[in-house]
Amino acid sequence: MKHIYLGLALHNHQPVGNFPSVFQQAYELAYLPLILLLKSHPAIRLSLHYTGPLWDWLMNEHPDFFTLLSSLLSRGQVELMTGGYYEPILPAIPDADKKGQISRMNTFLREKFSARPTGLWLAERVWEPYLAKPLAEAGVEWTLVDDTHFKMVGLEEQELLGYYITEEQGYSLKIFPSLKSLRYFIPWRQVSEVIALLKEMADESGTKIAVMGDDGEKFGVWPQTFEHCWQNGWMESFFSALEENSQWLHLIPLGEFARQFPPAGRAYLPCASYDEMLEWALPASKSYHFTNLKHQLEADGRQDVLGYLKGGFWRHFLVKYPEVNWMHKRMLWAHHKVYRAADFQEKSAPPAPGDCGQSELWQAQCNCPYWHGVFGGLYLADIRAANFSHLVKAERQADQVLHGPHPWLHWEQVDVDCDGHNEVVLETGSQALWLKPSQGGSLVEWDLRLPGYNLLGTLARRPEAYHLMMQEEFSNQGNGEHGTVK
């Protein structure tokens, strides 16, 4: 008889600074319904990840959620994953912050659930090869990325039913490929079609695993998904079908599979993210043409070519949006100040209390306003303002350690944003000014330290790929055609 394991990993996240009403809506539409359904289906086993901002909100607003989740953990039904506490793009932040944020998440999970996670959710599945070393040093044994990464190095679909070992400087890490086919089937296709797809993947070895890692919000928060998943019963039908086919289809948390089964091989993966993110990272016109090319190849059935098509590179968002680059380099500026303050504090006698702004810095590293796709991202002014607010507060706390309670003033010329031109930085205990002589002496940032606010946290208008798609749609309609915006 043919068998296959199914590894589901659901990632639940709300960004730093999001409105409380959005947290509450997501809780009611997705987070709570899933936990209640799992409680009534004890045979369904999976991996779950919640980010720090969501944990913090749940502690304050729904502490009973912890009791429900603990009951699932106690019966071995659920495995919790670690990650950067405030969901940073790990390659974009200093290694000390990578390890610090992961350590904070591990400490939280140990204290609240007595859980010791071995696997990490990689924010936006943004992978760069050197990550294996700092993740392994942080105690991470495995993670998952999209199958896109594996196909770029020539692996075929049938070779992606297991995990692979990668390494950096001898530090090894297990990596599961998350299948795009499952991500597009669950929950959009009929349950019977999902089961049929999994049956096609099964074989006699009994050592294969099909993995799907995706956002928990797609099960209730995304448009029309609450009606589809819960009111119309898709999730109930899905879980019931998994139980009914348990003779050959076995649910397992990813960490358990990694402990029980050997790797499928060794792999060195390129810099990548999920397929759509690589489209969004391209310049607008290139993204538009690249997406159209992919759709044409899909329509022509050219799967043999699609696996080799590579879009952009996540770090290009720092080029595509100068405001993102400025915020990122300001984060690095704040990082160095916070760590200087921590070093100074450690050497002082007696050491002063406080974390020198580290917690504020980590909150400012939340990834959501550092990029843009079909979601708001950097265009969400409140999310962007929240990151800047935490940056300013981090610096205020660090400066209190470095300068003490007395009035002070500091200025210097330095290339803050790494564009080859020096900026002028003028700081006091109450405010900070950042000027760019290369742009005619423009004032590009004006921080008020006490309220923690950047008065100039604005964003320029610019073309996006979806503007071109909309223009094409309107043009087709004007010509009597029925185009589809994809």
Side-chain angles (χ1 to χ4, degrees):
M1 185 177 184
K2 294 182 177 181
H3 295 263
I4 192 166
Y5 286 91
L6 175 62
L8 300 175
L10 299 184
H11 156 68
N12 304 284
H13 170 58
Q14 293 299 322
V16 170
N18 211 356
F19 297 118
S21 60
V22 177
F23 280 82
Q24 181 63 33
Q25 182 184 46
Y27 175 80
E28 295 174 358
L29 298 183
Y31 307 146
L32 182 60
L34 175 67
I35 295 300
L36 294 177
L37 187 63
L38 284 170
K39 186 177 180 181
S40 63
H41 288 270
I44 306 301
R45 306 179 67 221
L46 44 69
S47 305
L48 290 176
H49 175 251
Y50 299 85
T51 63
L54 184 51
W55 282 131
D56 294 344
W57 181 84
L58 287 167
M59 279 195 299
N60 291 327
E61 301 298 329
H62 294 283
D64 52 320
F65 186 83
F66 286 71
T67 303
L68 290 170
L69 187 52
S70 293
S71 68
L72 301 180
L73 286 162
S74 64
R75 63 191 192 189
Q77 187 177 355
V78 164
E79 165 192 65
L80 291 178
M81 300 174 64
T82 189
Y85 194 84
Y86 292 105
E87 193 67 358
I89 299 293
L90 288 180
I93 66 174
D95 285 354
D97 294 330
K98 292 181 182 64
K99 297 173 186 177
Q101 289 221 37
I102 293 169
S103 176
R104 177 166 181 172
M105 180 67 84
N106 288 345
T107 299
F108 178 88
L109 297 178
R110 184 174 63 251
E111 291 177 350
K112 297 297 180 182
F113 300 103
S114 298
R116 299 183 182 275
T118 58
L120 173 137
W121 179 266
L122 192 62
E124 302 303 328
R125 282 96 81 195
V126 177
W127 170 261
E128 294 186 13
Y130 86 97
L131 276 178
K133 183 175 184 289
L135 292 186
E137 289 176 330
V140 176
E141 297 177 12
W142 60 269
T143 187
L144 68 159
V145 298
D146 279 50
D147 56 3
T148 303
H149 303 59
F150 290 85
K151 290 180 179 179
M152 286 178 182
V153 295
L155 291 175
E156 302 288 345
E157 189 86 17
Q158 64 270 19
E159 297 177 281
L160 302 182
L161 299 175
Y163 69 87
Y164 285 77
I165 296 285
T166 193
E167 60 82 26
E168 170 68 13
Q169 300 179 50
Y171 291 83
S172 61
L173 182 73
K174 302 172 182 177
I175 307 184
F176 287 91
S178 173
L179 303 181
K180 185 177 180 180
S181 55
L182 282 179
R183 186 158 62 91
Y184 274 48
F185 268 53
I186 300 172
W188 316 119
R189 303 286 283 270
Q190 295 292 328
V191 170
S192 59
E193 294 179 87
V194 178
I195 299 300
L197 176 64
L198 292 167
K199 186 166 287 188
E200 290 177 9
M201 299 176 182
D203 71 358
E204 287 83 2
S205 72
T207 62
K208 304 293 186 182
I209 183 171
V211 175
M212 188 208 75
D214 210 350
D215 297 342
E217 292 78 21
K218 74 186 288 187
F219 302 99
V221 178
W222 292 7
Q224 286 82 54
T225 55
F226 181 74
E227 293 82 358
H228 173 63
C229 291
W230 305 109
Q231 292 182 340
N232 297 336
W234 193 95
M235 288 294 287
E236 173 67 41
S237 298
F238 179 50
F239 280 12
S240 296
L242 294 177
E243 291 170 331
E244 291 165 4
N245 290 274
S246 60
Q247 285 189 331
W248 63 272
L249 180 56
H250 315 291
L251 277 293
I252 190 170
L254 297 182
E256 186 173 321
F257 186 91
R259 288 191 297 273
Q260 292 184 10
F261 295 94
R266 184 174 62 251
Y268 293 92
L269 306 179
C271 299
S273 178
Y274 52 87
D275 203 28
E276 296 86 350
M277 179 72 85
L278 300 182
E279 297 173 10
W280 303 334
L282 289 168
S285 61
K286 298 293 192 299
S287 177
Y288 170 74
H289 293 301
F290 180 76
T291 303
N292 281 348
L293 173 62
K294 285 177 55 182
H295 290 159
Q296 184 60 56
L297 289 171
E298 288 169 354
D300 294 342
R302 294 304 308 274
Q303 300 300 324
D304 58 327
V305 175
L306 283 167
Y308 298 105
L309 285 184
K310 183 180 184 301
F313 176 36
W314 187 88
R315 292 190 188 224
H316 193 77
F317 284 112
L318 305 179
V319 177
K320 188 174 182 179
Y321 304 104
E323 297 91 343
V324 168
N325 181 63
W326 179 260
M327 183 167 60
H328 177 258
K329 300 309 183 288
R330 282 284 290 108
M331 178 272 294
L332 296 179
W333 174 279
H335 162 88
H336 293 302
K337 181 177 289 190
V338 165
Y339 279 74
R340 284 201 312 272
D343 184 61
F344 178 83
Q345 184 183 63
E346 185 178 346
K347 295 176 181 177
S348 64
D355 69 357
C356 303
Q358 188 177 70
S359 180
E360 296 287 351
L361 169 68
W362 288 350
Q363 291 180 74
Q365 293 171 343
C366 183
N367 79 84
C368 300
Y370 284 96
W371 59 275
H372 174 63
V374 298
F375 310 102
L378 69 103
Y379 284 107
L380 295 175
D382 54 309
I383 303 299
R384 197 170 68 255
N387 274 38
F388 266 115
S389 177
H390 289 294
L391 279 180
V392 177
K393 291 175 181 177
E395 290 182 323
R396 186 182 74 209
Q397 291 183 24
D399 282 330
Q400 288 172 348
V401 174
L402 293 170
H403 298 284
H406 306 294
W408 60 275
L409 183 148
H410 169 81
W411 79 274
E412 64 179 297
Q413 294 187 63
V414 60
D415 185 6
V416 177
D417 58 358
C418 301
D419 67 349
H421 302 281
N422 282 346
E423 284 74 47
V424 176
V425 184
L426 177 64
E427 299 178 285
T428 73
S430 62
Q431 58 185 312
L433 304 177
W434 308 74
L435 300 102
K436 288 184 72 70
S438 62
Q439 294 182 3
S442 299
L443 180 61
V444 295
E445 183 174 344
W446 184 358
D447 297 337
L448 300 182
R449 289 284 178 83
L450 189 58
Y453 193 75
N454 170 18
L455 292 171
L456 300 181
T458 58
L459 185 69
R461 294 183 58 165
R462 53 179 49 83
E464 297 288 356
Y466 47 78
H467 297 161
L468 299 173
M469 295 178 186
M470 293 170 66
Q471 291 172 8
E472 181 182 51
E473 171 72 7
F474 294 145
S475 176
N476 290 338
Q477 290 178 353
N479 294 328
E481 301 176 14
H482 297 285
T484 301
V485 178
K486 298 182 180 179

